[in-house]
């Protein structure tokens, strides 16, 4: 296999573009795709301060790396979720990445801020961990980016993530999600920071190749709660189609942005937002979903503590 640019030995094949690249030309291709995404979708300007949400995984660290290489003013945000070993290792990888590049990383602990780790928030509210986690991250990303003066928050979602999420939304005809699914979520209303996904033109395999070729030390293990997630099933289905017909994911997602989404946009209504009565974040309800989640977890903890303190009928104390 030869590089289509220099005819040298190719390191990475990009079948959907009928191309193969040597190391240097692959990195150039990767950077061009990111630059094109940022410019075509008007994500941010070179002078805008960007906050990159990093998890220690290949996608978010590759994104941070490429933004720094392209000369953007990109800082990182690591939210420690309190998921045992996974959180510890992913935090260390993120911190080491930042240190090696002399880049700024903000580290925020969910437990320190709200009194619960994500697993505790989930168990105290009887939710699946990813639901409590998603709510927590969305809330904290927005608040921290806004409070610390960033114009935009960037996440490492790639083409596989976006195509899988689109497939899920299509299978259930989630028209409100379909109307909103886009690599740019503008800060349309007060209190919202603009959110962007500069890797949406690149597949998971390409992002992994970038991380390996640039020597990024990322956490390989998935979060233990990821196993069995529906999104993994959709990714598998799309990978099967992609193997037989290269370009399926690209056509599905980029075709949707161009031809499908406008129809859902026209039909969709935009809900009215106002500040949450407790935390001030924008919400459609009186109190936002995240504040209600934390409140419910607190009530459960108090109830359990009170039950544990009650004297028991057998005379023994009610401690654990
Ligand atoms: S970190 Fe959080 Fe993911 Fe882990 S608990 Fe689920 S949502 S799987 S991206
Ligand atoms: Zn080459
Ligand atoms: Zn709130």
């Amino acid at each position: 296999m030869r590089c289509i640019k220099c005819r040298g030995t190719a390191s990475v094949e990009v079948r959907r573009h009928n191309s193969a690249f040597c190391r240097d030309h692959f990195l150039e291709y990767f950077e061009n795709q990111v630059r094109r995404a940022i410019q075509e979708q008007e994500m941010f300007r070179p002078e805008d301060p960007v906050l990159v949400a990093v998890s220690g995984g290949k996608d978010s660290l590759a994104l941070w790396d490429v933004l720094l290489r392209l000369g953007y003013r990109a800082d990182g945000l690591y939210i420690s979720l309190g998921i045992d070993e996974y959180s510890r290792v992913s935090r260390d990888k993120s911190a080491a990445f930042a240190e090696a590049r002399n880049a700024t990383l903000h580290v925020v602990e969910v437990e320190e801020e709200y009194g619960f780790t994500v697993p505790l928030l989930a168990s105290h509210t009887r939710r699946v961990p990813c639901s409590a986690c998603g709510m927590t991250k969305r809330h904290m990303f927005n608040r921290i980016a806004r409070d610390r003066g960033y114009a935009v928050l960037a996440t490492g979602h790639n083409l596989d993530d976006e195509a899988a999420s689109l497939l899920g939304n299509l299978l259930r005809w989630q028209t409100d999600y379909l109307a909103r699914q886009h690599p740019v979520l503008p800060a349309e209303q007060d209190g919202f920071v603009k959110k962007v996904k500069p890797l949406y033109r690149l597949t998971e395999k390409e992002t992994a190749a970038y991380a390996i070729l640039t020597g990024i030390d990322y956490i390989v293990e998935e979060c233990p709660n990821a196993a069995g997630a529906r999104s993994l099933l959709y990714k598998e289905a799309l990978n099967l189609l992609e193997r037989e017909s290269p370009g399926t994911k690209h056509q599905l997602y980029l075709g949707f942005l161009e031809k499908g989404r406008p129809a859902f946009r026209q039909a969709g209504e935009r809900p009215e937002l106002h500040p949450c009565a407790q935390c001030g974040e924008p919400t459609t309800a009186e109190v936002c979903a995240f504040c209600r989640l934390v409140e419910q977890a607190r009530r459960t903890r108090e109830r359990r503590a009170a039950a544990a303190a009650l004297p028991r009928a057998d005379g023994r104390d009610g401690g654990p």
Side-chain angles (χ1 to χ4, degrees):
M1 219 174 23
R2 301 258 145 218
C3 170
I4 60 155
K5 294 268 181 169
C6 68
R7 309 306 302 157
T9 307
S11 310
V12 188
E13 187 181 14
V14 182
R15 281 178 70 206
R16 72 177 192 288
H17 292 315
N18 234 338
S19 305
F21 300 102
C22 66
R23 178 189 182 276
D24 290 353
H25 285 120
F26 175 73
L27 298 185
E28 184 185 273
Y29 156 81
F30 195 93
E31 287 178 5
N32 285 342
Q33 292 295 326
V34 173
R35 201 184 284 116
R36 182 172 169 190
I38 294 169
Q39 288 171 356
E40 272 186 15
Q41 301 290 350
E42 298 181 350
M43 292 183 175
F44 43 83
R45 297 162 302 175
E47 65 271 26
D48 290 334
V50 179
L51 188 61
V52 183
V54 293
S55 66
K58 64 180 183 329
D59 300 298
S60 57
L61 291 183
L63 171 61
W64 196 7
D65 188 86
V66 72
L67 291 183
L68 291 172
R69 277 172 196 257
L70 291 172
Y72 287 103
R73 296 178 53 199
D75 294 344
L77 168 63
Y78 176 81
I79 293 186
S80 184
L81 306 166
I83 306 177
D84 303 329
E85 187 65 2
Y86 168 75
S87 284
R88 194 189 58 72
V89 177
S90 57
R91 179 189 179 141
D92 288 352
K93 300 270 184 199
S94 306
F97 176 98
E99 204 184 321
R101 288 156 186 80
N102 213 4
T104 301
L105 175 69
H106 304 274
V107 176
V108 184
E109 301 246 356
V110 178
E111 190 176 17
E112 223 167 76
E113 300 267 315
Y114 299 104
F116 295 94
T117 60
V118 161
L120 277 179
L121 262 184
S123 70
H124 280 45
T125 55
R126 294 174 185 270
R127 283 176 179 270
V128 288
C130 292
S131 153
C133 185
M135 233 189 246
T136 306
K137 285 194 288 195
R138 273 194 299 279
H139 180 89
M140 291 180 75
F141 286 160
N142 193 66
R143 176 174 68 73
I144 293 165
R146 190 196 53 222
D147 291 354
R148 300 194 184 188
Y150 291 91
V152 50
L153 179 99
T155 55
H157 295 94
N158 56 40
L159 180 59
D160 292 48
D161 297 320
E162 294 308 288
S165 153
L166 173 58
L167 181 60
N169 289 337
L170 284 171
L171 290 173
R172 284 186 230 92
W173 289 112
Q174 308 254 44
T175 50
D176 45 344
Y177 287 130
L178 289 165
R180 267 179 288 158
Q181 191 170 356
H182 195 267
V184 177
L185 262 182
E188 269 166 8
Q189 278 146 310
D190 277 355
F192 271 127
V193 166
K194 185 176 185 180
K195 319 238 170 29
V196 299
K197 300 171 180 173
L199 299 185
Y200 81 93
R201 304 184 61 87
L202 292 150
T203 62
E204 198 159 310
K205 212 176 119 212
E206 289 156 28
T207 312
Y210 177 90
I212 291 163
L213 292 174
T214 53
I216 295 174
D217 181 19
Y218 60 86
I219 180 166
V220 179
E221 294 77 33
E222 292 274 356
C223 166
N225 298 315
R230 187 123 321 187
S231 57
L232 293 182
L233 183 67
Y234 298 147
K235 280 187 180 176
E236 225 175 278
L238 287 167
N239 281 338
L240 194 70
L241 293 169
E242 185 79 25
R243 262 202 301 280
E244 292 304 317
S245 178
T248 300
K249 292 174 203 170
H250 185 110
Q251 281 155 16
L252 175 68
Y253 185 60
L254 278 83
F256 163 76
L257 291 180
E258 193 193 331
K259 299 174 188 156
R261 185 172 175 269
F264 294 105
R265 291 289 286 175
Q266 278 161 12
E269 294 254 320
R270 314 238 76 216
E272 238 348 85
L273 292 169
H274 50 80
C276 162
Q278 285 183 15
C279 71
E281 287 291 297
T283 174
T284 52
E286 164 88 15
V287 173
C288 77
F290 180 70
C291 284
R292 281 182 276 138
L293 179 84
V294 175
E295 192 46 49
Q296 194 188 347
R298 279 195 192 122
R299 279 202 305 271
T300 305
R301 182 159 64 189
E302 280 162 18
R303 226 181 19 249
R304 287 184 187 171
L310 275 180
R312 286 169 37 160
D314 58 11
R316 288 184 296 178
D317 72 24

